[in-house]
Amino acid sequence: MALSSVATSYTGQILAWRFLQQNWDTIVSRYGDTSFMIPSFIKSACSNFDSKFDYEDVRSFFEAHDPKSGKRAIQQVLEKIQANINWVSQYEQKVVDWLNKKSH
């Protein structure tokens, strides 16, 4: 699946998410309301986000657009994004400090 392949890098994930947003109606009409592909698209495009902005972007998009067969995927993605936000909040400075210490 091309969307999953594109979403493997940070930049690609942003591109995949933007593509999903811009083409949501076409994706739903092509893959149907009950397709297993829709949850897969959602997870591929959003699972590694790690900011409050991304969390709100995903949440608000799917409040305005019915996720069809992806309802559970939305819940899982939002939980994963929140866990990523928490991890970054807790460990980012420790990792930066460790990297700075190792580079001197």
Side-chain angles (χ1 to χ4, degrees):
M1 159 172 34
L3 189 73
S4 297
S5 296
V6 170
T8 58
S9 72
Y10 179 75
T11 303
Q13 188 169 16
I14 293 169
L15 292 172
W17 171 234
R18 297 295 175 249
F19 177 85
L20 190 73
Q21 288 174 300
Q22 292 169 359
N23 296 283
W24 182 251
D25 294 334
T26 303
I27 290 167
V28 169
S29 69
R30 181 171 292 161
Y31 293 100
D33 289 354
T34 59
S35 173
F36 69 92
M37 296 297 289
I38 290 176
S40 180
F41 290 152
I42 293 167
K43 288 179 182 180
S44 293
C46 306
S47 288
N48 292 318
F49 286 152
D50 61 6
S51 73
K52 291 178 184 179
F53 174 85
D54 293 325
Y55 180 95
E56 289 302 320
D57 192 30
V58 172
R59 186 190 58 73
S60 65
F61 179 80
F62 286 110
E63 280 182 357
H65 298 83
D66 184 1
K68 305 296 182 188
S69 63
K71 287 183 173 113
R72 180 67 184 130
I74 297 303
Q75 293 171 328
Q76 292 170 332
V77 160
L78 291 175
E79 289 171 7
K80 178 82 166 45
I81 295 170
Q82 187 59 57
N84 294 345
I85 292 168
N86 294 344
W87 191 95
V88 169
S89 174
Q90 185 172 359
Y91 294 108
E92 179 179 37
Q93 191 57 52
K94 291 176 185 177
V95 171
V96 168
D97 292 345
W98 182 82
L99 288 170
N100 285 335
K101 184 178 173 184
K102 292 294 181 186
S103 69
H104 293 295

